[in-house]
């Protein structure tokens, strides 16, 4: 009997042509080889590995339209055939890893910072509802913007648009109603232009700074360093309130780690700046309300493009998430919230929104007024990209994406494109993805 079983086992061949069971490592290696056959691009001008969705393919197409007149995309082999100023395209493009065998600037950023979104100072602070910098870069390319252009983001938040524009050497103006957003955007701005020495602090000095902040005795002659240390402190405290993961490091350990991360980013981005001989451009950052933009007459027909993302209807508490900071700075959160889109009830709601809950109608009223102000601030021929998502409130879908598109057209924009970008792995169940709506203010 034993002999019979043994014979049977001997005859049974495995996937690998022997009679031994493959190990976990062998299975993984075999699958990895087969998988890489499918996904490794075959050519000299190849997709970035970060291209994962059909939306990414559309973004690649969109930016190529702005960067060259002659190109074709081969999605099967993950390659592109293009003609044009290759050196310049290599500095600008956000979706290709190599052009004619040479690495793009974007690939260098991704490799150096180890992340497709957290390069330069984009990851300075975990501001909720942040843009993907890659989308901003794509839109800047698609809109053919250059050193003579001026970009607006009137919902600038933590400053992704302004920071990406600065990295690309393009002038921009960022406006946001939240003081914390303004502080962060300004910090990202300053960090690109300071001298390395300004970040030289010994461990003892850092410990003293933390103590001073905790005792509300923190002063520093340079406002930039003053605010930077506070932002790191708020981020540290926030991390401790959310998880016990950092207990072993302790507050000082985490504070130092975050400060050193910023020093590291400074070094990395300056290495890249030197390597590619980049020239960064400082952005103008202002605290303000988009609904009052048209009171600033010098903003009329001033901008070549607007790249922005309004607050998502009731999905994110933009002010509340920075409670630690506002409590520390003694800033009245209610006052900021009252300036928020959809929060100013003037007793009148347009007939257009009959049947909608009052709060949604108020939000739509303000959203439309915001788009009117954007239209007013753009030059004829100016471009608009709005990143917006639908939300679900009490299981009811609030169709903000198509409502926004309708507003743009009613106001006079020519609708050009809508790209739905699924948010893979999004933790917030109410937000499954966002759309990029592209429009143009036509020349008269
Ligand atoms: C989706 S977030 C933008 C995030 C930004 N793209 C970033 O990467 O950080 C929307 C922003 O709109 C701002 N906001 C809300 N109401 C506003 C208003 N009336 N005027 C200007 N900004 C406003 C919020 O403070 C929030 O920062």
């Amino acid at each position: 009997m034993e002999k019979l079983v043994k014979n049977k086992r001997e005859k049974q061949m495995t996937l690998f042509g022997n009679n031994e069971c493959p190990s976990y490592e062998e299975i993984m290696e075999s699958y990895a080889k087969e998988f890489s056959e499918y996904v490794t691009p075959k050519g000299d001008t190849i997709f970035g590995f970060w291209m994962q969705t059909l939306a990414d393919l559309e973004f690649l197409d969109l930016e190529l339209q702005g960067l060259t007149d002659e190109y074709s995309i081969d999605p099967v082999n993950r390659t592109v055939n293009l003609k044009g100023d290759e050196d310049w395209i290599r500095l600008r493009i956000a979706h290709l890893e190599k052009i004619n065998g040479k690495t793009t600037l974007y690939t260098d950023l991704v490799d150096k910072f180890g992340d497709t979104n957290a390069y330069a100072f984009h990851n300075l602070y975990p501001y909720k509802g942040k843009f993907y910098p890659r989308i901003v870069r794509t839109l800047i390319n698609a809109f053919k913007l250059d050193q003579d252009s001026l970009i607006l983001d009137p919902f600038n938040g933590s400053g992704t648009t302004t920071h990406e524009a600065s990295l690309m050497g393009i002038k921009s103006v960022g406006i946001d109603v939240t003081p914390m957003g303004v502080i962060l955007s300004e910090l990202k701005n300053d960090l690109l232009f300071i001298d390395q020495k300004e970040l030289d602090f010994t461990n003892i000095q850092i410990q003293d700074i933390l103590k001073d902040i905790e005792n509300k005795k923190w002063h520093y002659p340079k406002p930039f360093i003053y605010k930077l240390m506070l932002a790191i402190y708020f981020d540290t405290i926030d991390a401790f309130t959310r998880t016990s993961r950092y207990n072993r490091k302790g507050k000082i350990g985490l504070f130092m780690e975050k400060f050193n991360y910023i020093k590291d980013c400074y070094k990395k981005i300056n290495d890249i700046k030197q390597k590619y001989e980049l020239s960064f451009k400082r952005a103008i950052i202002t605290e303000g309300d988009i609904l009052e933009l048209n009171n600033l007459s010098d903003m009329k027909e001033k901008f070549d493009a607007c790249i922005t993302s309004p607050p998502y209807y009731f999905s994110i508490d933009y002010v509340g998430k920075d409670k630690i900071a506002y409590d520390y700075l003694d800033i009245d959160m209610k006052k900021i919230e009252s300036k928020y889109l959809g929060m100013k009830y003037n007793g009148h709601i347009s007939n257009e929104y009959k049947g909608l809950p009052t709060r949604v109608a108020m939000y739509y009223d303000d959203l439309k007024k915001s788009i009117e102000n954007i239209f007013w601030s753009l030059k004829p021929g100016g471009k608009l990209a709005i990143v917006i998502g639908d939300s679900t409130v009490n299981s009811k879908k609030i169709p903000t994406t198509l409502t926004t598109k309708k507003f743009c057209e009613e106001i006079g924009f020519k609708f050009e494109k809508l790209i739905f970008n699924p948010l893979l792995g999004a933790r917030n169940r109410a937000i499954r993805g966002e759309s990029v709506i592209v429009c143009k203010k036509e020349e008269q």
Side-chain angles (χ1 to χ4, degrees):
M1 181 67 185
E2 204 177 284
K3 207 173 164 197
L4 206 80
V5 173
K6 200 172 165 229
N7 277 346
K8 208 173 167 199
R9 214 187 278 149
E10 271 167 8
K11 271 186 209 138
Q12 212 174 7
M13 298 287 263
T14 68
L15 198 68
F16 293 85
N18 56 28
N19 358 35
E20 272 166 38
C21 237
S23 66
Y24 172 79
E25 286 74 20
E26 283 170 328
I27 295 173
M28 290 312 285
E29 201 188 314
S30 171
Y31 274 116
K33 256 189 213 146
E34 196 168 337
F35 185 66
S36 81
E37 279 292 298
Y38 289 120
V39 300
T40 306
K42 294 164 186 63
D44 287 334
T45 300
I46 56 175
F47 287 15
F49 70 84
W50 49 93
M51 281 190 57
Q52 291 175 1
T53 63
L54 283 176
D56 290 336
L57 206 53
E58 286 196 73
F59 287 129
L60 168 68
D61 192 26
L62 195 67
E63 67 173 347
L64 281 169
Q65 280 171 34
L67 292 172
T68 170
D69 293 331
E70 241 188 295
Y71 71 92
S72 61
I73 300 175
D74 176 353
V76 175
N77 290 312
R78 298 176 68 84
T79 57
V80 167
N81 213 325
L82 60 82
K83 292 215 166 76
D85 184 347
E86 282 181 11
D87 286 337
W88 184 69
I89 301 172
R90 211 174 272 122
L91 287 180
R92 298 277 301 238
I93 201 147
H95 288 88
L96 295 183
E97 199 166 311
K98 283 183 183 164
I99 296 179
N100 216 352
K102 270 170 97 180
T103 308
T104 60
L105 163 70
Y106 200 84
T107 306
D108 252 0
L109 286 170
V110 169
D111 284 350
K112 212 163 178 77
F113 286 84
D115 194 302
T116 54
N117 283 306
Y119 54 85
F121 299 102
H122 281 301
N123 210 26
L124 177 71
Y125 190 88
Y127 196 82
K128 288 249 170 73
K130 251 197 297 199
F131 263 160
Y132 292 114
R134 172 157 57 98
I135 306 294
V136 176
R137 182 170 281 257
T138 299
L139 292 162
I140 289 178
N141 287 333
F143 294 165
K144 301 186 182 193
L145 302 175
D146 59 25
Q147 286 77 349
D148 300 322
S149 310
L150 185 60
I151 303 172
L152 169 70
D153 187 347
F155 298 107
N156 196 40
S158 62
T160 309
T161 301
T162 42
H163 195 47
E164 194 63 15
S166 298
L167 293 170
M168 293 174 81
I170 300 174
K171 286 173 284 173
S172 63
V173 174
I175 302 171
D176 201 280
V177 85
T178 51
M180 217 25 215
V182 172
I183 290 176
L184 298 171
S185 308
E186 273 176 348
L187 282 176
K188 289 177 189 174
N189 218 4
D190 290 333
L191 279 160
L192 288 181
F193 299 96
I194 57 157
D195 194 291
Q196 187 170 4
K197 279 193 218 107
E198 300 196 52
L199 293 176
D200 276 348
F201 289 93
T202 63
N203 285 355
I204 302 284
Q205 282 172 319
I206 293 287
Q207 284 183 22
D208 288 344
I209 290 172
L210 179 61
K211 259 190 234 146
D212 283 351
I213 295 177
E214 292 207 296
N215 295 328
K216 294 218 167 182
K217 285 189 177 145
W218 168 233
H219 302 284
Y220 201 79
K222 289 200 171 127
F224 150 70
I225 292 288
Y226 174 78
K227 288 180 195 167
L228 178 67
M229 295 298 183
L230 281 182
I232 298 173
Y233 173 73
F234 300 147
D235 191 15
T236 302
I237 300 300
D238 183 57
F240 275 97
T241 54
R242 278 185 291 108
T243 165
S244 54
R245 200 161 12 127
Y246 305 112
N247 283 359
R248 278 224 337 246
K249 271 190 191 121
K251 232 184 269 174
I252 182 65
L254 192 60
F255 186 82
M256 255 182 214
E257 188 177 295
K258 287 182 184 292
F259 176 69
N260 286 332
Y261 166 76
I262 286 162
K263 276 177 79 169
D264 194 41
C265 290
Y266 178 90
K267 194 181 162 336
K268 285 176 177 165
I269 196 62
N270 279 292
D271 287 349
I272 297 245
K273 182 183 179 191
Q274 237 172 12
K275 175 173 173 188
Y276 288 93
E277 295 175 7
L278 302 177
S279 154
F280 297 150
K281 207 40 133 248
R282 194 176 265 282
I284 296 171
I285 309 291
T286 321
E287 188 175 320
D289 180 349
I290 178 155
L291 299 173
E292 287 166 14
L293 187 71
N294 56 340
N295 294 336
L296 310 169
S297 56
D298 61 331
M299 294 279 179
K300 188 175 177 195
E301 300 195 345
K302 190 180 171 91
F303 299 96
D304 298 278
C306 171
I307 298 173
T308 197
S309 176
Y312 286 16
Y313 179 71
F314 291 138
S315 300
I316 298 176
D317 180 3
Y318 296 95
V319 184
K321 68 184 170 37
D322 284 325
K323 187 173 181 329
I324 292 169
Y326 292 129
D327 282 351
Y328 185 96
L329 298 169
D330 214 8
I331 295 177
D332 184 356
M333 282 169 50
K334 287 257 158 358
K335 225 174 179 171
I336 311 169
E337 268 162 355
S338 69
K339 291 189 196 152
Y340 243 71
L341 228 57
M343 300 305 268
K344 275 180 261 181
Y345 184 45
N346 56 11
H348 167 78
I349 287 202
S350 156
N351 272 345
E352 222 182 308
Y353 315 122
K354 265 206 181 127
L356 282 177
T358 312
R359 292 183 74 183
V360 180
M362 281 160 59
Y363 170 81
Y364 281 167
D365 244 359
D366 282 354
L367 182 61
K368 190 165 185 186
K369 176 88 173 84
S370 309
I371 300 172
E372 276 167 10
N373 281 352
I374 292 172
F375 187 85
W376 171 89
S377 73
L378 283 175
K379 290 179 188 165
K383 295 286 203 144
L384 165 66
I386 295 192
V387 180
I388 190 104
D390 294 330
S391 346
T392 313
V393 175
N394 300 336
S395 332
K396 206 172 167 234
K397 190 171 167 190
I398 311 292
T400 309
T401 309
L402 289 181
T403 308
T404 305
K405 173 181 175 284
K406 182 169 84 83
F407 288 161
C408 290
E409 288 172 308
E410 284 171 1
I411 288 162
F413 279 108
K414 181 173 176 283
F415 168 74
E416 290 192 335
K417 206 172 184 64
L418 187 151
I419 298 177
F420 178 73
N421 191 23
L423 295 179
L424 304 175
R427 271 184 255 152
N428 185 340
R429 286 178 140 266
I431 304 174
R432 300 292 168 90
E434 54 190 16
S435 293
V436 183
I437 299 173
V438 178
C439 295
K440 183 175 178 183
K441 177 174 175 176
E442 297 233 78
E443 317 252 0
Q444 299 301 310

